[in-house]
Amino acid sequence: MVKFLPLKEAVAENLHDGDTAAFEGFTHLIPTAAAHEAIRQGFRDLTLIRMTPDLIYDQMIGMGMARKIVFSYVGNPGVGLLRRARDAIENGFPRVIEVEEHSHAGMANAYEAGAAGLPCAVFRGYRGAGLAAVNPNIKSVTCPFTGEVLAAVPAIRPDVTFIHAQKADRKGNVLVEGIIGIQKEAVLAAKRAVVTVEEVVDNFADLHPNLTVLPSWTIAAISVVPGGSHPSYAHGYYERDNAAYLEWDEIAADRDRFQAWIRKNVIDSSADDFACRVEHLRKAA
């Protein structure tokens, strides 16, 4: 049964050292507050999965939390590279990490296979690309009906998935609006799912029935964290903080400055402080 918990408890109950974890969000609804709580609790040896790792994975990698990353794009959206991730990949700082790169189509199909309880995903992909030469998890299979050669990748089945969403109702159902990305499949594929939300409402009775609603039985814990996806945006609640993405490129370029930023804004902070800072920025805008 889904639990409504403070974020600190939700993360502590559902994330463990050595877990395979997905912190999913696409363009908006990136679960920043959940990632920061994971950093505060100091988890280690994680396999981090995400289609589009951006600032939160740069921060987690920079804090030495990741043993491996599985991804289909890694970068600071609209700005450039992820400097902490690059330092780890090229220089082994603060630790050596294993890299498994896919295409967007490969990741999306792998999540969908995981959500369906299948062992692998089979699809048309990776043609004309060199990823299969460096990723042994990209295989080919021949269709037994047509003879067509298709790509195959293992299903993604995270130990835990974290997402951010706009609303939960009091029964623990979760509403996701706007660009959905792969959040729904990432939750359904996981053994456990933790959702941070902007607010809790009585019910979804006045909403269109075809909106994306994750039923309570798919979720382990819900935490109310207004502004929990900042600096990404939350459709219908607040806009993207473009300045934060530009600033991050400078912060992450220097190891000492990165550590100082993490200490001030994450380690010595809390989910409540996070929400207060976001509310201040919202009013200032």
Side-chain angles (χ1 to χ4, degrees):
M1 179 180 293
V2 64
K3 299 178 182 178
F4 286 86
L5 296 173
L7 183 58
K8 183 176 181 180
E9 293 180 30
V11 172
E13 285 191 11
N14 291 284
L15 182 61
H16 312 105
D17 289 343
D19 271 356
T20 295
F23 289 74
E24 274 295 351
F26 191 78
T27 304
H28 75 144
L29 299 178
I30 294 168
T32 308
H36 284 184
E37 184 57 44
I39 292 172
R40 278 190 288 275
Q41 296 189 27
F43 294 99
R44 308 292 291 181
D45 297 322
L46 301 175
T47 295
L48 295 176
I49 301 176
R50 187 158 165 218
M51 283 183 65
T52 55
D54 62 358
L55 274 56
I56 58 173
Y57 276 19
D58 208 30
Q59 293 161 10
M60 296 172 82
I61 291 168
M63 292 303 291
M65 298 170 67
R67 178 188 69 82
K68 178 180 179 179
I69 56 171
V70 181
F71 64 95
S72 52
Y73 161 87
V74 58
N76 183 342
V79 179
L81 52 84
L82 291 183
R83 297 185 183 273
R84 292 298 90 223
R86 182 170 184 170
D87 203 7
I89 293 167
E90 293 187 348
N91 303 313
F93 184 89
R95 62 176 292 180
V96 174
I97 61 171
E98 187 179 345
V99 171
E100 181 177 327
E101 184 175 1
H102 289 274
S103 66
H104 276 348
M107 292 283 289
N109 277 278
Y111 268 125
E112 194 162 19
L118 297 172
C120 68
V122 177
F123 60 102
R124 294 187 180 96
Y126 299 108
R127 295 177 180 178
L131 283 174
V134 295
N135 183 349
N137 276 334
I138 300 171
K139 307 290 187 182
S140 62
V141 296
T142 301
C143 174
F145 304 104
T146 67
E148 182 180 1
V149 177
L150 301 167
V153 294
I156 292 176
R157 300 295 303 272
D159 292 309
V160 58
T161 288
F162 293 87
I163 67 166
H164 187 74
Q166 283 93 346
K167 299 174 183 176
D169 69 14
R170 301 200 183 280
K171 294 181 179 179
N173 304 301
V174 168
L175 172 69
V176 184
E177 296 181 284
I179 298 173
I180 304 302
I182 204 68
Q183 287 99 311
K184 179 181 72 173
E185 290 81 2
V187 166
L188 295 176
K191 297 175 184 175
R192 303 176 299 277
V194 176
V195 184
T196 53
V197 295
E198 294 293 324
E199 63 176 327
V200 175
V201 298
D202 288 335
N203 57 63
F204 300 147
D206 59 339
L207 298 174
H208 193 284
N210 286 341
L211 289 174
T212 300
V213 176
L214 288 163
S216 60
W217 57 264
T218 66
I219 298 161
I222 295 171
S223 300
V224 181
V225 187
S229 68
H230 178 268
S232 75
Y233 73 97
H235 177 78
Y237 286 79
Y238 45 88
E239 296 181 354
R240 188 179 193 266
D241 185 353
N242 292 318
Y245 287 87
L246 291 168
E247 184 184 21
W248 182 253
D249 189 55
E250 298 180 2
I251 294 167
D254 181 84
R255 293 175 180 177
D256 292 337
R257 187 176 177 186
F258 163 77
Q259 287 288 342
W261 187 95
I262 289 288
R263 173 65 61 183
K264 177 182 178 181
N265 294 283
V266 181
I267 303 297
D268 294 338
S269 187
S270 69
D272 289 338
D273 295 332
F274 184 93
C276 288
R277 286 200 308 273
V278 172
E279 182 61 25
H280 175 74
L281 289 168
R282 195 182 305 174
K283 289 179 178 178

PDB file of all heavy atoms in Angstrom, residues 220-241:
ATOM      1  N   ALA A 220       5.197   3.089  -4.146  1.00  0.00           N
ATOM      2  CA  ALA A 220       5.528   2.739  -2.761  1.00  0.00           C
ATOM      3  C   ALA A 220       5.349   3.922  -1.825  1.00  0.00           C
ATOM      4  O   ALA A 220       4.876   3.768  -0.697  1.00  0.00           O
ATOM      5  CB  ALA A 220       6.960   2.225  -2.675  1.00  0.00           C
ATOM      6  N   ALA A 221       5.761   5.114  -2.277  1.00  0.00           N
ATOM      7  CA  ALA A 221       5.713   6.275  -1.390  1.00  0.00           C
ATOM      8  C   ALA A 221       5.497   7.553  -2.191  1.00  0.00           C
ATOM      9  O   ALA A 221       5.974   7.688  -3.326  1.00  0.00           O
ATOM     10  CB  ALA A 221       7.001   6.387  -0.584  1.00  0.00           C
ATOM     11  N   ILE A 222       4.775   8.490  -1.565  1.00  0.00           N
ATOM     12  CA  ILE A 222       4.533   9.818  -2.128  1.00  0.00           C
ATOM     13  C   ILE A 222       4.995  10.847  -1.114  1.00  0.00           C
ATOM     14  O   ILE A 222       4.683  10.750   0.074  1.00  0.00           O
ATOM     15  CB  ILE A 222       3.043  10.031  -2.452  1.00  0.00           C
ATOM     16  CG1 ILE A 222       2.597   9.080  -3.570  1.00  0.00           C
ATOM     17  CG2 ILE A 222       2.767  11.485  -2.840  1.00  0.00           C
ATOM     18  CD1 ILE A 222       1.100   9.079  -3.809  1.00  0.00           C
ATOM     19  N   SER A 223       5.741  11.857  -1.594  1.00  0.00           N
ATOM     20  CA  SER A 223       6.193  12.959  -0.747  1.00  0.00           C
ATOM     21  C   SER A 223       5.766  14.272  -1.380  1.00  0.00           C
ATOM     22  O   SER A 223       5.955  14.471  -2.584  1.00  0.00           O
ATOM     23  CB  SER A 223       7.717  12.940  -0.585  1.00  0.00           C
ATOM     24  OG  SER A 223       8.154  11.738   0.006  1.00  0.00           O
ATOM     25  N   VAL A 224       5.206  15.143  -0.579  1.00  0.00           N
ATOM     26  CA  VAL A 224       4.792  16.459  -1.076  1.00  0.00           C
ATOM     27  C   VAL A 224       5.986  17.400  -0.986  1.00  0.00           C
ATOM     28  O   VAL A 224       6.442  17.733   0.103  1.00  0.00           O
ATOM     29  CB  VAL A 224       3.598  17.009  -0.271  1.00  0.00           C
ATOM     30  CG1 VAL A 224       3.183  18.372  -0.824  1.00  0.00           C
ATOM     31  CG2 VAL A 224       2.436  16.034  -0.312  1.00  0.00           C
ATOM     32  N   VAL A 225       6.491  17.805  -2.151  1.00  0.00           N
ATOM     33  CA  VAL A 225       7.650  18.702  -2.221  1.00  0.00           C
ATOM     34  C   VAL A 225       7.364  19.753  -3.295  1.00  0.00           C
ATOM     35  O   VAL A 225       7.719  19.569  -4.460  1.00  0.00           O
ATOM     36  CB  VAL A 225       8.957  17.947  -2.562  1.00  0.00           C
ATOM     37  CG1 VAL A 225      10.151  18.901  -2.440  1.00  0.00           C
ATOM     38  CG2 VAL A 225       9.153  16.745  -1.665  1.00  0.00           C
ATOM     39  N   PRO A 226       6.706  20.851  -2.926  1.00  0.00           N
ATOM     40  CA  PRO A 226       6.466  21.912  -3.919  1.00  0.00           C
ATOM     41  C   PRO A 226       7.773  22.415  -4.502  1.00  0.00           C
ATOM     42  O   PRO A 226       8.754  22.614  -3.782  1.00  0.00           O
ATOM     43  CB  PRO A 226       5.772  23.005  -3.085  1.00  0.00           C
ATOM     44  CG  PRO A 226       5.205  22.296  -1.903  1.00  0.00           C
ATOM     45  CD  PRO A 226       6.166  21.185  -1.601  1.00  0.00           C
ATOM     46  N   GLY A 227       7.803  22.565  -5.820  1.00  0.00           N
ATOM     47  CA  GLY A 227       9.037  22.988  -6.473  1.00  0.00           C
ATOM     48  C   GLY A 227      10.065  21.885  -6.605  1.00  0.00           C
ATOM     49  O   GLY A 227      11.225  22.151  -6.914  1.00  0.00           O
ATOM     50  N   GLY A 228       9.649  20.638  -6.418  1.00  0.00           N
ATOM     51  CA  GLY A 228      10.575  19.521  -6.363  1.00  0.00           C
ATOM     52  C   GLY A 228      11.296  19.184  -7.643  1.00  0.00           C
ATOM     53  O   GLY A 228      12.199  18.340  -7.622  1.00  0.00           O
ATOM     54  N   SER A 229      10.934  19.819  -8.754  1.00  0.00           N
ATOM     55  CA  SER A 229      11.657  19.548 -10.000  1.00  0.00           C
ATOM     56  C   SER A 229      12.528  20.720 -10.452  1.00  0.00           C
ATOM     57  O   SER A 229      13.143  20.660 -11.514  1.00  0.00           O
ATOM     58  CB  SER A 229      10.678  19.184 -11.122  1.00  0.00           C
ATOM     59  OG  SER A 229       9.892  20.299 -11.490  1.00  0.00           O
ATOM     60  N   HIS A 230      12.593  21.792  -9.664  1.00  0.00           N
ATOM     61  CA  HIS A 230      13.438  22.938 -10.013  1.00  0.00           C
ATOM     62  C   HIS A 230      14.907  22.491 -10.091  1.00  0.00           C
ATOM     63  O   HIS A 230      15.347  21.693  -9.276  1.00  0.00           O
ATOM     64  CB  HIS A 230      13.289  24.024  -8.946  1.00  0.00           C
ATOM     65  CG  HIS A 230      14.156  25.220  -9.184  1.00  0.00           C
ATOM     66  ND1 HIS A 230      15.420  25.339  -8.656  1.00  0.00           N
ATOM     67  CD2 HIS A 230      13.944  26.343  -9.911  1.00  0.00           C
ATOM     68  CE1 HIS A 230      15.954  26.474  -9.040  1.00  0.00           C
ATOM     69  NE2 HIS A 230      15.082  27.113  -9.802  1.00  0.00           N
ATOM     70  N   PRO A 231      15.668  22.939 -11.106  1.00  0.00           N
ATOM     71  CA  PRO A 231      15.405  24.048 -12.019  1.00  0.00           C
ATOM     72  C   PRO A 231      14.653  23.674 -13.301  1.00  0.00           C
ATOM     73  O   PRO A 231      14.467  24.536 -14.156  1.00  0.00           O
ATOM     74  CB  PRO A 231      16.810  24.535 -12.350  1.00  0.00           C
ATOM     75  CG  PRO A 231      17.644  23.291 -12.317  1.00  0.00           C
ATOM     76  CD  PRO A 231      17.077  22.473 -11.185  1.00  0.00           C
ATOM     77  N   SER A 232      14.281  22.410 -13.487  1.00  0.00           N
ATOM     78  CA  SER A 232      13.388  22.110 -14.609  1.00  0.00           C
ATOM     79  C   SER A 232      12.013  22.677 -14.288  1.00  0.00           C
ATOM     80  O   SER A 232      11.778  23.183 -13.182  1.00  0.00           O
ATOM     81  CB  SER A 232      13.308  20.599 -14.858  1.00  0.00           C
ATOM     82  OG  SER A 232      12.504  19.961 -13.877  1.00  0.00           O
ATOM     83  N   TYR A 233      11.099  22.613 -15.220  1.00  0.00           N
ATOM     84  CA  TYR A 233       9.783  23.193 -14.975  1.00  0.00           C
ATOM     85  C   TYR A 233       8.767  22.106 -14.649  1.00  0.00           C
ATOM     86  O   TYR A 233       9.017  20.919 -14.852  1.00  0.00           O
ATOM     87  CB  TYR A 233       9.325  24.039 -16.157  1.00  0.00           C
ATOM     88  CG  TYR A 233       8.906  23.274 -17.404  1.00  0.00           C
ATOM     89  CD1 TYR A 233       7.562  22.999 -17.661  1.00  0.00           C
ATOM     90  CD2 TYR A 233       9.847  22.857 -18.355  1.00  0.00           C
ATOM     91  CE1 TYR A 233       7.175  22.326 -18.815  1.00  0.00           C
ATOM     92  CE2 TYR A 233       9.467  22.189 -19.506  1.00  0.00           C
ATOM     93  CZ  TYR A 233       8.129  21.920 -19.730  1.00  0.00           C
ATOM     94  OH  TYR A 233       7.735  21.243 -20.864  1.00  0.00           O
ATOM     95  N   ALA A 234       7.664  22.536 -14.097  1.00  0.00           N
ATOM     96  CA  ALA A 234       6.538  21.638 -13.854  1.00  0.00           C
ATOM     97  C   ALA A 234       5.334  22.246 -14.557  1.00  0.00           C
ATOM     98  O   ALA A 234       4.868  23.328 -14.159  1.00  0.00           O
ATOM     99  CB  ALA A 234       6.261  21.478 -12.364  1.00  0.00           C
ATOM    100  N   HIS A 235       4.878  21.595 -15.592  1.00  0.00           N
ATOM    101  CA  HIS A 235       3.790  22.108 -16.416  1.00  0.00           C
ATOM    102  C   HIS A 235       2.605  22.527 -15.546  1.00  0.00           C
ATOM    103  O   HIS A 235       2.092  21.751 -14.759  1.00  0.00           O
ATOM    104  CB  HIS A 235       3.349  21.036 -17.412  1.00  0.00           C
ATOM    105  CG  HIS A 235       2.198  21.427 -18.273  1.00  0.00           C
ATOM    106  ND1 HIS A 235       2.330  22.255 -19.354  1.00  0.00           N
ATOM    107  CD2 HIS A 235       0.867  21.111 -18.205  1.00  0.00           C
ATOM    108  CE1 HIS A 235       1.147  22.423 -19.917  1.00  0.00           C
ATOM    109  NE2 HIS A 235       0.261  21.747 -19.239  1.00  0.00           N
ATOM    110  N   GLY A 236       2.204  23.801 -15.698  1.00  0.00           N
ATOM    111  CA  GLY A 236       1.073  24.317 -14.946  1.00  0.00           C
ATOM    112  C   GLY A 236       1.421  24.902 -13.596  1.00  0.00           C
ATOM    113  O   GLY A 236       0.549  25.460 -12.915  1.00  0.00           O
ATOM    114  N   TYR A 237       2.720  24.815 -13.194  1.00  0.00           N
ATOM    115  CA  TYR A 237       3.118  25.284 -11.863  1.00  0.00           C
ATOM    116  C   TYR A 237       4.232  26.321 -11.902  1.00  0.00           C
ATOM    117  O   TYR A 237       4.133  27.361 -11.262  1.00  0.00           O
ATOM    118  CB  TYR A 237       3.523  24.102 -10.983  1.00  0.00           C
ATOM    119  CG  TYR A 237       2.344  23.296 -10.518  1.00  0.00           C
ATOM    120  CD1 TYR A 237       1.739  22.370 -11.364  1.00  0.00           C
ATOM    121  CD2 TYR A 237       1.800  23.485  -9.255  1.00  0.00           C
ATOM    122  CE1 TYR A 237       0.631  21.637 -10.956  1.00  0.00           C
ATOM    123  CE2 TYR A 237       0.684  22.765  -8.835  1.00  0.00           C
ATOM    124  CZ  TYR A 237       0.112  21.844  -9.693  1.00  0.00           C
ATOM    125  OH  TYR A 237      -1.002  21.127  -9.288  1.00  0.00           O
ATOM    126  N   TYR A 238       5.316  26.060 -12.614  1.00  0.00           N
ATOM    127  CA  TYR A 238       6.396  27.037 -12.697  1.00  0.00           C
ATOM    128  C   TYR A 238       7.226  26.753 -13.938  1.00  0.00           C
ATOM    129  O   TYR A 238       7.187  25.656 -14.507  1.00  0.00           O
ATOM    130  CB  TYR A 238       7.282  27.038 -11.439  1.00  0.00           C
ATOM    131  CG  TYR A 238       7.677  25.677 -10.929  1.00  0.00           C
ATOM    132  CD1 TYR A 238       8.819  25.014 -11.394  1.00  0.00           C
ATOM    133  CD2 TYR A 238       6.905  25.038  -9.967  1.00  0.00           C
ATOM    134  CE1 TYR A 238       9.182  23.771 -10.916  1.00  0.00           C
ATOM    135  CE2 TYR A 238       7.253  23.794  -9.480  1.00  0.00           C
ATOM    136  CZ  TYR A 238       8.386  23.160  -9.960  1.00  0.00           C
ATOM    137  OH  TYR A 238       8.735  21.915  -9.486  1.00  0.00           O
ATOM    138  N   GLU A 239       7.971  27.783 -14.355  1.00  0.00           N
ATOM    139  CA  GLU A 239       8.746  27.716 -15.586  1.00  0.00           C
ATOM    140  C   GLU A 239      10.155  27.196 -15.333  1.00  0.00           C
ATOM    141  O   GLU A 239      10.616  27.110 -14.195  1.00  0.00           O
ATOM    142  CB  GLU A 239       8.817  29.107 -16.231  1.00  0.00           C
ATOM    143  CG  GLU A 239       7.471  29.643 -16.685  1.00  0.00           C
ATOM    144  CD  GLU A 239       7.582  31.008 -17.339  1.00  0.00           C
ATOM    145  OE1 GLU A 239       8.703  31.579 -17.325  1.00  0.00           O
ATOM    146  OE2 GLU A 239       6.567  31.498 -17.855  1.00  0.00           O
ATOM    147  N   ARG A 240      10.813  26.847 -16.403  1.00  0.00           N
ATOM    148  CA  ARG A 240      12.211  26.385 -16.339  1.00  0.00           C
ATOM    149  C   ARG A 240      13.123  27.531 -15.926  1.00  0.00           C
ATOM    150  O   ARG A 240      13.001  28.659 -16.436  1.00  0.00           O
ATOM    151  CB  ARG A 240      12.621  25.853 -17.712  1.00  0.00           C
ATOM    152  CG  ARG A 240      13.977  25.162 -17.781  1.00  0.00           C
ATOM    153  CD  ARG A 240      14.197  24.695 -19.207  1.00  0.00           C
ATOM    154  NE  ARG A 240      15.308  23.771 -19.347  1.00  0.00           N
ATOM    155  CZ  ARG A 240      16.548  24.118 -19.662  1.00  0.00           C
ATOM    156  NH1 ARG A 240      16.835  25.392 -19.852  1.00  0.00           N
ATOM    157  NH2 ARG A 240      17.496  23.208 -19.813  1.00  0.00           N
ATOM    158  N   ASP A 241      14.052  27.277 -15.033  1.00  0.00           N
ATOM    159  CA  ASP A 241      15.025  28.270 -14.587  1.00  0.00           C
ATOM    160  C   ASP A 241      16.263  28.156 -15.477  1.00  0.00           C
ATOM    161  O   ASP A 241      17.240  27.492 -15.137  1.00  0.00           O
ATOM    162  CB  ASP A 241      15.366  28.022 -13.118  1.00  0.00           C
ATOM    163  CG  ASP A 241      16.283  29.094 -12.543  1.00  0.00           C
ATOM    164  OD1 ASP A 241      16.762  29.957 -13.308  1.00  0.00           O
ATOM    165  OD2 ASP A 241      16.536  29.056 -11.314  1.00  0.00           O
TER     166      ASP A 241
END
